[in-house]
Amino acid sequence: MTEYDQGAAAMPEFRFEPVVMPPAATGLRAEVRAFLDEEKAKGTFVATVGAMVAADPAFSARLGARGYLGMTWPKAYGGHERSALERYVVVEELLAAGAPVMAHWIADRQSGPQILKHGSERARKTILPEIAAGRCYFAIGMSEPDTGSDLASVKTRAVPVEGGFRVTGRKVWTSYAHKAHYVIALVRTGGRPEDRHVGLTQLIIDMKSPGVEVRPIINVYGAHEFNEVTFDDVFVPEDMTVGAVGQGWAMVTSELAFERSGPDRFMSTYPLLVEAFREVGGSPAPMEAAELGRLVAHLATLRRMSTSIAGMLNSGKSPITEAALVKDLGTTFEQSIPEITRRLLPLEPRAAGNGQAYDSLQQLAQMQAPCYSIRGGTREILRGMIARGLGLR
Amino acid sequence: MSSETEDMGVRHLMLRSLDRIVAEKAGHAVQAADGKPGFPTELWSALEEAGMTALGEENEGDLGLGNAAALVERAAYHTLPVPLAETLLARRLLAKAGIEIPDGALSVAPPSASHDGRAAGVPWASAVRGVVVATGPDILALIDARDVAAPGFNMAGEPRETIDLARARVIARARLADAPRVVEAEGALIRAVQLSGGMSRVLEHGLTWANDRIQFGRPIARFQAIQHLMAELAAEAAAASAAALMAVEAAAVRSDRFAIAVAKARTGEAAGRVCAIAHEVFGAMGFTQEHTLHYATRRLWSWRNEFGSEVQWQSEIGRMIAAGGADNLWATLTAHG
């Protein structure tokens, strides 16, 4: 074998080219930062880890009033016709500040864009302006008691009836369903669970519909985010389908690049990193400097990869494997922050005084960390996707 | 927009042309150079004739830093035994100090390895026309060390020699503020780019091997354990490439120590994991010189230590952020990305 005879052309190459932020992004960043400083000064919120699962509807409404939600949507639907990159700036500033974004999070990131793209005109007109105003919240109904990573095995059934569907089934781990106005559920409109990807449809279900029941599922650290949602012969009007009947699977998989490469996939424990820097002070010990510096190097790199993907998405590309790489690296990174900082700054009981912020974030981060590499596709599922992108399966 | 497209076209042609030179002229050069004295003159001349050695963006007629870095990355992918990266680095540094740049192959002495009148770990010192050395806190010199270099090699068998500075002939000298720090950072940038190129080679080797090697009646690529290892390797290589690219862009327009620190810290860390995974996937075959994997992995193990290991650069980042205050971390990140 000689060293040079292998064709390099066939090799998968992941290049994370720079993204050119629109000129408006700089001013916007300063504006969002000033707003968040003001809110913090008023005591609206204290920076938390897992901002994505901290809800404050009043805060979400204020974001809506300032034009920070539904940013890229047409004005006709309550949007602001700004670029995806400007939206990226707003989102990462919110996460960096550890602001409570859960209430509007799913609606603004995922459900709204889906409705805009694949929803009926009535759904767009009635729902999108409310999301953009920060008053309308969504949950996502994918997992079921017997359906987790193997999403195509869903059993919840929607039977066609006059003017729509009747839905019967059960969804679990449905975050924020207890406060959400709607859930977008992946249901079976045709075929049997053995038919896998065929016959799946996404429906917008009004949580106030008769037959919808919500039961809390308390998570490992005692918080109520998850729910079990039961549908008992719930009527869903025909024009509340998202996309064509039977096309649910294609839609669920195509949107994942948006969901997997965003700053929420590596910023969950960022506020803990900030507090760790505060604790070590201006002249850190060598090990503190190296370990915290290592985390900063990871974060700067992840941010580059994520903004680069935002640029690819903005120009209409579909970087599925790249997005999976970012989520794999990103969740590993955000999980490592509590583990590394606790080696530097032991968590020991201490009386009131300095370090309270660090202590409470450290505890919450440790308990919350396992979910980062589960939600939105487990690490193992993602590595399988990356392997497919590499031509290994 | 059109000039950018044009630039990418030029780069593509240049890289293909490098691939061609490698195919025609490199032959067994990598093997021949491994741990042995000498200089692959024919290969170097081919690169020189193709205009690939006039590197350093601050000189008229030279390739821009982005193109030069792409070339260095590709040469690293090919594990070429030539001081192409060192020549680019030397030319950049000489241009910064306003010293006239000689033609031909050049090198640079890593400042952290200079003690007591001796510069250690100097690539190709006895074979190049000039070596750039920071001889004082604010002084950069170009010296001829051809007759005063003691042989030595890094883990990859690349020449890393020791110069007796008192006996070297000084070709030129000029003021350059913070010379040792500047040399260390520029060197780290170039090694980060090489690390990225070397990792793309290791990824390619690993993918080819996993798809070709049959065990239990099927390619080992079909095993989930192998798939997950390779996914992790690809993720580390991708992160390394992103970090290196980011630093090159930054360095092309300003002096950006933070971006360089991030690049060397991230590529150096990734290199360790990438080599470990590749050797795990290759089994015994990769642990021999029967396969060419070692040309890439031994370079990665060497380069991650040169011009500051990842730990040194991580520490610098940590100190930099700590000194600026915890609440300025985010502003620093957004200002550099």
Coordinates of all heavy atoms in Angstrom, one line a residue, chain A residues 3-4 6 8 11 15-16 18 29 33 92-93 96 267 270 274 277-278 281-282 284 289-290 293-294 296-301 303-305 325 329 380 383 387 391-393, chain B residues 22 26-27 30 73-74 77-78 200-201 204 207 211 221-222 227-228 230 235-236 239 242-243 245-246 249 262 266 269 292 314-315 317-318 321-322 326-327 329-330 333-334 337:
Chain A
E3 N 1.2 5.5 0.4 CA 0.6 6.4 1.3 C -0.5 7.3 0.6 O -1.4 7.8 1.2 CB 1.6 7.4 1.9 CG 2.6 6.8 2.8 CD 3.9 6.5 2.1 OE1 3.8 5.9 1.0 OE2 4.9 6.8 2.6
Y4 N -0.4 7.4 -0.7 CA -1.1 8.5 -1.3 C -2.2 8.1 -2.3 O -2.8 8.9 -3.1 CB -0.2 9.5 -2.1 CG 0.9 10.0 -1.1 CD1 2.2 9.7 -1.4 CD2 0.5 10.7 0.0 CE1 3.2 10.2 -0.5 CE2 1.5 11.1 0.9 CZ 2.8 10.9 0.7 OH 3.7 11.3 1.5
Q6 N -5.1 6.8 -2.0 CA -6.5 6.7 -1.6 C -7.2 8.0 -2.1 O -6.7 9.1 -1.8 CB -6.7 6.6 -0.1 CG -6.4 5.1 0.3 CD -6.1 5.0 1.7 OE1 -6.2 6.0 2.5 NE2 -5.7 3.9 2.1
A8 N -9.3 11.1 -1.9 CA -9.8 11.9 -0.8 C -11.2 12.5 -1.1 O -11.9 12.9 -0.2 CB -8.8 13.1 -0.6
M11 N -14.3 11.2 0.8 CA -14.3 11.3 2.3 C -15.3 12.3 2.7 O -15.3 13.4 2.2 CB -12.9 11.7 2.8 CG -12.8 11.6 4.3 SD -11.2 12.1 4.9 CE -11.6 13.8 5.4
R15 N -17.1 20.9 7.1 CA -16.5 22.2 7.2 C -17.5 23.2 7.8 O -18.6 23.3 7.4 CB -16.0 22.7 5.9 CG -14.7 22.0 5.4 CD -14.0 22.8 4.4 NE -13.2 23.9 4.9 CZ -11.9 23.7 5.4 NH1 -11.4 22.5 5.5 NH2 -11.2 24.7 5.8
F16 N -17.0 23.9 8.8 CA -17.9 24.9 9.5 C -17.4 26.3 9.1 O -16.7 26.9 9.8 CB -17.8 24.6 11.0 CG -18.5 23.3 11.4 CD1 -17.7 22.1 11.4 CD2 -19.8 23.2 11.6 CE1 -18.3 20.9 11.7 CE2 -20.4 22.0 11.9 CZ -19.7 20.9 11.9
P18 N -17.4 30.3 8.2 CA -17.9 31.4 9.0 C -19.3 31.8 8.5 O -19.6 31.7 7.3 CB -16.8 32.5 8.8 CG -16.2 32.1 7.5 CD -16.3 30.6 7.4
R29 N -28.0 42.7 19.4 CA -27.4 42.1 20.5 C -27.2 43.0 21.7 O -27.6 42.7 22.8 CB -26.0 41.5 20.1 CG -25.3 40.7 21.1 CD -23.9 40.3 20.8 NE -23.8 39.4 19.6 CZ -24.1 38.1 19.7 NH1 -24.6 37.5 20.8 NH2 -24.0 37.3 18.6
R33 N -29.2 42.6 25.2 CA -28.3 42.5 26.5 C -28.8 43.6 27.5 O -28.9 43.3 28.7 CB -26.9 42.7 26.1 CG -25.9 41.8 26.8 CD -24.5 41.9 26.2 NE -24.2 40.8 25.3 CZ -23.0 40.7 24.7 NH1 -22.1 41.6 24.9 NH2 -22.8 39.6 23.9
E92 N -29.4 33.2 21.8 CA -28.2 32.9 22.5 C -28.0 33.9 23.7 O -27.5 33.5 24.7 CB -27.0 32.7 21.7 CG -26.4 34.0 21.0 CD -25.0 33.8 20.4 OE1 -24.4 32.7 20.6 OE2 -24.5 34.7 19.8
E93 N -28.4 35.1 23.5 CA -28.3 36.1 24.5 C -29.3 35.7 25.7 O -28.9 35.8 26.9 CB -28.7 37.5 24.0 CG -27.6 38.1 23.2 CD -26.3 38.4 23.9 OE1 -26.3 38.7 25.1 OE2 -25.3 38.3 23.2
A96 N -27.6 32.8 27.4 CA -26.4 33.2 28.2 C -26.7 33.9 29.5 O -26.0 33.8 30.5 CB -25.5 34.1 27.3
M267 N -25.6 25.3 25.9 CA -25.6 26.4 26.9 C -26.3 26.1 28.2 O -26.4 27.0 29.1 CB -26.2 27.6 26.3 CG -25.5 28.2 25.0 SD -24.2 29.2 25.4 CE -25.1 30.7 26.1
Y270 N -24.3 26.9 31.2 CA -23.4 28.1 31.1 C -23.3 29.0 32.3 O -22.3 29.4 32.8 CB -23.7 28.9 29.8 CG -22.9 30.1 29.7 CD1 -21.6 30.1 29.3 CD2 -23.5 31.4 30.1 CE1 -20.9 31.3 29.2 CE2 -22.8 32.5 30.0 CZ -21.4 32.5 29.6 OH -20.7 33.6 29.5
V274 N -20.0 30.6 34.6 CA -19.8 32.0 35.0 C -19.6 32.1 36.5 O -18.7 32.7 37.0 CB -21.0 32.9 34.6 CG1 -20.9 34.3 35.1 CG2 -21.2 32.9 33.0
F277 N -16.2 30.9 37.5 CA -15.2 31.9 37.3 C -15.2 33.0 38.4 O -14.2 33.5 38.9 CB -15.4 32.6 35.9 CG -14.5 32.0 34.8 CD1 -15.1 31.3 33.8 CD2 -13.1 32.2 34.8 CE1 -14.3 30.7 32.8 CE2 -12.3 31.6 33.8 CZ -12.9 30.9 32.8
R278 N -16.5 33.3 38.8 CA -16.6 34.3 39.9 C -15.9 33.7 41.2 O -15.2 34.4 41.9 CB -18.1 34.6 40.2 CG -18.3 35.9 40.9 CD -19.8 36.2 41.2 NE -20.7 36.0 40.2 CZ -20.8 36.7 39.1 NH1 -20.1 37.8 38.9 NH2 -21.7 36.4 38.1
G281 N -12.1 33.8 41.1 CA -11.5 35.1 41.2 C -10.6 35.5 40.1 O -10.4 34.7 39.1
G282 N -9.9 36.6 40.3 CA -9.1 37.2 39.2 C -7.8 36.5 39.0 O -7.2 36.6 37.9
P284 N -6.7 32.8 39.3 CA -7.0 31.4 39.5 C -5.7 30.5 39.7 O -4.7 30.9 39.2 CB -7.7 30.9 38.3 CG -7.3 31.9 37.2 CD -7.0 33.2 37.9
A289 N -7.3 27.5 36.3 CA -7.2 28.2 35.0 C -7.3 27.2 33.9 O -7.9 27.4 32.9 CB -5.8 28.9 35.0
A290 N -6.6 26.1 34.0 CA -6.5 25.1 32.9 C -7.9 24.5 32.6 O -8.4 24.4 31.5 CB -5.5 24.0 33.1
G293 N -10.4 27.1 31.5 CA -10.0 27.6 30.2 C -10.3 26.5 29.1 O -10.7 26.9 28.0
R294 N -10.2 25.3 29.5 CA -10.6 24.2 28.6 C -12.0 24.3 28.2 O -12.4 24.2 27.1 CB -10.3 22.8 29.2 CG -10.8 21.7 28.4 CD -10.5 20.3 29.1 NE -11.2 19.3 28.4 CZ -12.4 18.9 28.7 NH1 -13.1 19.4 29.7 NH2 -13.0 18.0 27.9
V296 N -13.9 26.9 28.2 CA -14.1 28.1 27.4 C -13.7 27.8 25.9 O -14.4 28.2 25.0 CB -13.3 29.3 27.9 CG1 -13.4 30.5 26.9 CG2 -13.9 29.8 29.3
A297 N -12.6 27.0 25.8 CA -12.2 26.6 24.4 C -13.3 25.8 23.7 O -13.6 25.9 22.6 CB -10.9 25.9 24.5
H298 N -13.9 24.9 24.5 CA -14.9 24.1 24.0 C -16.1 24.9 23.6 O -16.7 24.7 22.5 CB -15.4 23.0 25.0 CG -14.5 21.8 25.0 ND1 -15.0 20.6 24.5 CD2 -13.3 21.6 25.3 CE1 -14.0 19.7 24.6 NE2 -13.0 20.3 25.1
L299 N -16.5 25.8 24.5 CA -17.7 26.7 24.2 C -17.5 27.5 23.0 O -18.4 27.6 22.1 CB -18.0 27.5 25.5 CG -19.1 28.5 25.4 CD1 -20.4 27.8 25.0 CD2 -19.4 29.2 26.7
A300 N -16.3 28.2 22.9 CA -16.0 29.0 21.7 C -16.1 28.2 20.4 O -16.7 28.7 19.4 CB -14.6 29.7 21.8
T301 N -15.7 27.0 20.5 CA -15.7 26.1 19.3 C -17.1 25.7 18.9 O -17.5 25.7 17.8 CB -14.8 24.9 19.5 OG1 -13.5 25.3 19.8 CG2 -14.7 24.0 18.2
R303 N -19.8 27.2 19.7 CA -20.5 28.4 19.2 C -20.3 28.6 17.7 O -21.1 28.9 16.9 CB -20.1 29.6 20.0 CG -21.2 30.6 20.1 CD -20.8 31.8 20.9 NE -21.5 32.9 20.3 CZ -21.0 33.8 19.5 NH1 -19.7 33.8 19.3 NH2 -21.7 34.8 19.0
R304 N -19.0 28.5 17.3 CA -18.6 28.6 15.9 C -19.4 27.5 15.1 O -19.9 27.8 14.0 CB -17.1 28.4 15.8 CG -16.7 28.1 14.4 CD -17.1 29.2 13.4 NE -16.6 28.9 12.1 CZ -15.7 29.6 11.5 NH1 -15.2 30.7 12.0 NH2 -15.2 29.3 10.3
M305 N -19.4 26.3 15.6 CA -20.0 25.2 14.8 C -21.5 25.5 14.7 O -22.1 25.4 13.6 CB -19.8 23.9 15.4 CG -18.3 23.5 15.5 SD -18.0 22.0 16.5 CE -18.1 20.7 15.2
L325 N -23.6 16.2 15.1 CA -22.3 16.3 15.7 C -22.3 17.4 16.8 O -21.7 17.2 17.8 CB -21.2 16.7 14.6 CG -20.8 15.7 13.6 CD1 -20.0 16.3 12.5 CD2 -20.0 14.6 14.3
L329 N -21.4 16.7 20.7 CA -20.4 17.5 21.4 C -21.0 18.4 22.5 O -20.4 18.6 23.5 CB -19.6 18.3 20.4 CG -18.6 17.5 19.4 CD1 -18.2 18.5 18.3 CD2 -17.4 17.0 20.2
E380 N -26.9 8.0 21.8 CA -26.7 6.8 21.1 C -27.4 6.8 19.7 O -26.9 6.4 18.7 CB -27.2 5.6 21.9 CG -26.3 5.3 23.1 CD -26.3 6.4 24.1 OE1 -27.3 7.1 24.4 OE2 -25.2 6.7 24.7
R383 N -25.3 9.2 17.5 CA -24.1 8.6 17.0 C -24.4 7.6 15.9 O -23.6 7.5 14.9 CB -23.3 7.9 18.1 CG -22.7 8.9 19.1 CD -21.7 8.4 20.0 NE -21.1 9.6 20.7 CZ -20.3 9.5 21.8 NH1 -20.0 8.3 22.3 NH2 -19.9 10.6 22.4
A387 N -22.9 8.0 12.2 CA -22.3 6.9 11.5 C -22.9 6.7 10.1 O -22.1 6.4 9.2 CB -22.4 5.6 12.4
G391 N -21.1 7.0 6.3 CA -21.0 5.9 5.4 C -20.7 4.5 6.1 O -20.2 3.6 5.4
L392 N -20.9 4.5 7.4 CA -20.6 3.2 8.1 C -21.8 2.3 8.2 O -21.7 1.2 8.7 CB -20.1 3.5 9.5 CG -18.7 4.3 9.5 CD1 -18.4 4.7 10.9 CD2 -17.6 3.4 8.9
R393 N -23.0 2.8 7.9 CA -24.2 1.9 8.0 C -25.2 2.3 6.9 O -25.0 3.2 6.2 CB -24.8 2.0 9.3 CG -25.1 3.4 9.9 CD -25.6 3.3 11.3 NE -27.0 2.8 11.3 CZ -28.0 3.2 12.0 NH1 -27.8 4.2 12.8 NH2 -29.2 2.7 12.0
Chain B
V22 N 2.0 15.5 -4.8 CA 2.2 14.5 -3.8 C 2.2 13.1 -4.5 O 3.0 12.3 -4.3 CB 1.1 14.6 -2.7 CG1 1.2 13.3 -1.8 CG2 1.4 15.8 -1.8
A26 N 6.0 12.5 -4.2 CA 6.3 12.2 -2.8 C 6.7 10.7 -2.6 O 7.5 10.4 -1.8 CB 5.0 12.4 -1.9
G27 N 6.2 9.8 -3.5 CA 6.6 8.4 -3.4 C 6.7 7.9 -2.0 O 5.8 7.9 -1.3
V30 N 7.8 10.0 2.7 CA 7.4 10.0 4.1 C 8.2 8.9 4.9 O 8.7 9.2 5.9 CB 5.9 9.8 4.3 CG1 5.5 9.7 5.7 CG2 5.1 10.9 3.6
E73 N -2.8 22.8 5.8 CA -3.7 21.7 6.3 C -3.6 20.5 5.4 O -3.6 19.3 5.9 CB -5.1 22.3 6.4 CG -6.1 21.4 7.1 CD -7.5 22.0 7.2 OE1 -7.8 22.8 6.3 OE2 -8.2 21.6 8.1
R74 N -3.6 20.7 4.1 CA -3.6 19.6 3.1 C -2.2 18.9 3.2 O -2.2 17.7 3.1 CB -3.8 20.2 1.7 CG -4.1 19.2 0.7 CD -5.5 18.7 0.9 NE -5.8 17.6 -0.1 CZ -6.7 16.7 0.1 NH1 -7.5 16.7 1.1 NH2 -6.9 15.7 -0.8
Y77 N -2.4 16.7 6.0 CA -3.2 15.5 5.7 C -2.3 14.5 5.0 O -2.4 13.3 5.2 CB -4.4 16.0 4.9 CG -5.0 14.9 4.0 CD1 -6.0 14.2 4.6 CD2 -4.6 14.6 2.8 CE1 -6.6 13.1 3.9 CE2 -5.2 13.6 2.0 CZ -6.2 12.9 2.6 OH -6.8 11.8 1.9
H78 N -1.4 15.0 4.1 CA -0.6 14.1 3.3 C 0.7 13.7 4.2 O 1.5 13.0 3.6 CB -0.1 14.8 2.1 CG -1.1 14.9 1.0 ND1 -1.7 13.8 0.5 CD2 -1.7 15.9 0.4 CE1 -2.6 14.1 -0.5 NE2 -2.6 15.5 -0.5
S200 N -8.0 14.9 9.8 CA -8.9 14.5 8.7 C -8.3 13.2 8.0 O -9.0 12.4 7.5 CB -9.1 15.6 7.7 OG -7.9 16.0 7.1
R201 N -7.0 13.1 8.0 CA -6.3 11.9 7.5 C -6.7 10.7 8.3 O -7.0 9.6 7.9 CB -4.8 12.1 7.4 CG -4.1 10.9 6.7 CD -4.8 10.7 5.3 NE -4.1 9.7 4.5 CZ -3.0 9.9 3.8 NH1 -2.5 11.1 3.7 NH2 -2.5 9.0 3.1
E204 N -10.2 9.6 7.8 CA -10.3 8.8 6.5 C -9.7 7.4 6.6 O -10.4 6.4 6.2 CB -9.5 9.6 5.4 CG -9.7 9.0 4.0 CD -8.8 9.7 3.0 OE1 -9.3 10.8 2.5 OE2 -7.7 9.3 2.8
L207 N -12.3 5.3 8.5 CA -13.5 4.9 7.8 C -13.1 3.8 6.8 O -13.9 2.9 6.6 CB -14.0 6.2 7.1 CG -14.6 7.3 8.0 CD1 -15.0 8.5 7.2 CD2 -15.7 6.8 8.8
N211 N -14.7 -0.1 7.0 CA -15.5 -0.6 6.0 C -14.8 -1.8 5.3 O -15.5 -2.7 4.7 CB -15.8 0.4 4.9 CG -17.0 1.3 5.3 OD1 -18.0 0.8 5.9 ND2 -16.8 2.6 5.1
A221 N -17.4 -2.1 10.5 CA -18.3 -0.8 10.4 C -19.7 -1.2 10.8 O -20.5 -0.3 11.2 CB -18.2 -0.2 9.1
R222 N -20.1 -2.4 10.6 CA -21.5 -2.8 10.9 C -21.8 -2.9 12.4 O -22.9 -3.0 12.8 CB -21.9 -4.1 10.2 CG -21.8 -4.0 8.7 CD -22.9 -3.1 8.0 NE -22.6 -3.0 6.6 CZ -21.8 -2.0 6.1 NH1 -21.2 -1.2 6.9 NH2 -21.6 -2.0 4.8
Q227 N -19.2 1.9 15.2 CA -19.9 3.1 14.7 C -19.8 4.3 15.7 O -19.6 5.4 15.3 CB -21.4 2.8 14.4 CG -21.6 1.9 13.2 CD -23.0 1.4 13.1 OE1 -23.9 1.8 13.8 NE2 -23.2 0.6 12.0
H228 N -20.0 3.9 17.0 CA -20.0 5.0 18.0 C -18.7 5.6 18.2 O -18.5 6.8 18.4 CB -20.7 4.5 19.3 CG -22.2 4.3 19.1 ND1 -23.0 4.3 20.2 CD2 -23.0 4.3 18.1 CE1 -24.3 4.2 19.8 NE2 -24.3 4.2 18.5
M230 N -16.3 5.7 15.9 CA -16.0 6.6 14.7 C -16.8 7.9 14.7 O -16.3 8.9 14.3 CB -16.3 5.8 13.4 CG -15.3 4.7 13.2 SD -13.6 5.2 13.1 CE -13.6 6.4 11.8
A235 N -16.6 13.7 15.4 CA -17.0 14.9 16.2 C -15.8 15.7 16.6 O -15.7 16.9 16.5 CB -17.9 14.5 17.3
E236 N -14.8 15.0 17.2 CA -13.6 15.6 17.6 C -12.8 16.3 16.5 O -12.4 17.4 16.6 CB -12.7 14.6 18.4 CG -13.2 14.2 19.7 CD -13.3 15.4 20.7 OE1 -12.3 16.1 20.9 OE2 -14.4 15.5 21.3
A239 N -14.7 19.4 15.4 CA -14.5 20.5 16.3 C -13.1 21.1 16.1 O -13.0 22.4 16.1 CB -14.7 20.0 17.8
A242 N -13.1 23.2 13.0 CA -13.8 24.5 13.2 C -13.0 25.5 14.0 O -12.9 26.7 13.7 CB -15.2 24.2 13.9
A243 N -12.3 25.0 15.0 CA -11.5 25.9 15.9 C -10.3 26.4 15.1 O -10.0 27.6 15.2 CB -11.1 25.1 17.1
L245 N -10.1 26.8 11.8 CA -10.6 27.7 10.8 C -10.9 29.1 11.4 O -10.6 30.1 10.8 CB -11.8 27.1 10.1 CG -12.3 27.5 8.8 CD1 -11.2 27.4 7.8 CD2 -13.5 26.7 8.3
M246 N -11.5 29.0 12.5 CA -11.9 30.3 13.2 C -10.7 31.1 13.5 O -10.7 32.3 13.3 CB -12.7 29.9 14.5 CG -13.1 31.1 15.3 SD -14.4 30.6 16.5 CE -13.6 29.5 17.6
E249 N -9.1 32.7 10.3 CA -9.9 33.9 9.8 C -9.6 35.1 10.7 O -9.4 36.2 10.2 CB -11.4 33.6 10.0 CG -11.9 32.7 8.9 CD -13.2 32.0 9.4 OE1 -13.8 32.4 10.4 OE2 -13.5 30.9 8.8
V262 N -7.7 29.2 21.7 CA -8.9 28.3 21.6 C -8.5 27.2 20.6 O -8.7 26.0 20.8 CB -10.2 29.1 21.2 CG1 -11.2 28.1 20.7 CG2 -10.7 29.9 22.3
R266 N -8.1 23.4 21.6 CA -9.2 22.5 21.2 C -8.6 21.4 20.2 O -8.9 20.2 20.3 CB -10.3 23.2 20.5 CG -11.5 22.4 20.2 CD -12.2 21.9 21.5 NE -13.3 21.0 21.3 CZ -13.1 19.7 21.3 NH1 -11.9 19.1 21.4 NH2 -14.2 18.9 21.2
E269 N -6.4 18.9 22.3 CA -7.2 18.0 23.0 C -7.8 16.9 22.1 O -7.8 15.7 22.4 CB -8.3 18.7 23.8 CG -9.1 17.8 24.6 CD -10.3 18.4 25.4 OE1 -10.3 19.7 25.5 OE2 -11.2 17.7 25.8
T292 N 0.0 2.8 7.2 CA 0.5 4.1 7.2 C -0.2 5.0 8.2 O 0.2 6.2 8.4 CB 0.3 4.8 5.8 OG1 -1.1 4.7 5.5 CG2 1.2 4.1 4.7
Q314 N -5.0 26.2 27.4 CA -6.2 26.3 28.2 C -5.9 27.2 29.4 O -6.8 28.0 29.8 CB -6.5 24.8 28.7 CG -7.1 23.9 27.7 CD -7.0 22.4 28.0 OE1 -6.4 22.1 29.1 NE2 -7.5 21.6 27.2
S315 N -4.8 27.0 30.1 CA -4.5 27.9 31.2 C -4.5 29.3 30.9 O -4.9 30.2 31.6 CB -3.1 27.5 31.8 OG -3.1 26.2 32.1
I317 N -6.2 30.8 28.5 CA -7.5 31.2 28.3 C -8.2 31.4 29.7 O -8.8 32.4 30.0 CB -8.4 30.1 27.6 CG1 -7.8 30.0 26.1 CG2 -9.8 30.5 27.5 CD1 -8.4 28.8 25.4
G318 N -8.0 30.5 30.6 CA -8.5 30.6 32.0 C -8.1 31.8 32.7 O -8.9 32.5 33.3
I321 N -9.7 35.0 31.0 CA -11.1 35.2 31.3 C -11.2 35.6 32.8 O -12.0 36.6 33.1 CB -12.0 34.0 31.0 CG1 -11.9 33.6 29.6 CG2 -13.4 34.2 31.5 CD1 -12.5 34.6 28.6
A322 N -10.5 35.0 33.7 CA -10.5 35.3 35.1 C -10.1 36.7 35.3 O -10.8 37.5 36.1 CB -9.6 34.3 35.9
A326 N -15.8 37.4 35.7 CA -16.7 36.4 35.2 C -17.8 36.9 34.3 O -18.2 36.3 33.4 CB -17.4 35.7 36.5
D327 N -18.3 38.1 34.7 CA -19.4 38.7 33.9 C -19.1 39.1 32.5 O -19.9 39.5 31.7 CB -20.1 39.8 34.7 CG -20.8 39.2 35.9 OD1 -21.4 38.2 35.8 OD2 -20.7 39.9 37.0
L329 N -17.3 37.2 30.5 CA -17.0 36.0 29.7 C -17.8 36.0 28.4 O -17.3 35.8 27.3 CB -17.3 34.7 30.5 CG -17.3 33.4 29.7 CD1 -16.0 33.1 29.0 CD2 -17.6 32.2 30.7
W330 N -19.1 36.2 28.5 CA -20.0 36.2 27.3 C -19.6 37.2 26.3 O -19.5 36.9 25.1 CB -21.4 36.3 27.7 CG -22.4 36.1 26.6 CD1 -23.2 37.0 26.0 CD2 -22.5 34.9 25.8 NE1 -23.9 36.5 24.9 CE2 -23.4 35.2 24.8 CE3 -21.9 33.6 25.8 CZ2 -23.8 34.2 23.8 CZ3 -22.3 32.7 24.9 CH2 -23.2 33.0 23.9
L333 N -16.6 36.0 24.4 CA -16.9 35.0 23.4 C -17.6 35.6 22.2 O -17.3 35.2 21.0 CB -17.9 34.0 24.0 CG -17.2 33.0 25.0 CD1 -18.3 32.3 25.8 CD2 -16.4 32.0 24.2
T334 N -18.5 36.5 22.4 CA -19.3 37.0 21.2 C -18.4 38.0 20.4 O -18.6 38.2 19.2 CB -20.6 37.7 21.6 OG1 -20.3 38.7 22.6 CG2 -21.6 36.7 22.1
G337 N -16.2 35.6 18.0 CA -16.8 34.6 17.1 C -17.5 35.2 16.0 O -18.3 34.7 15.3

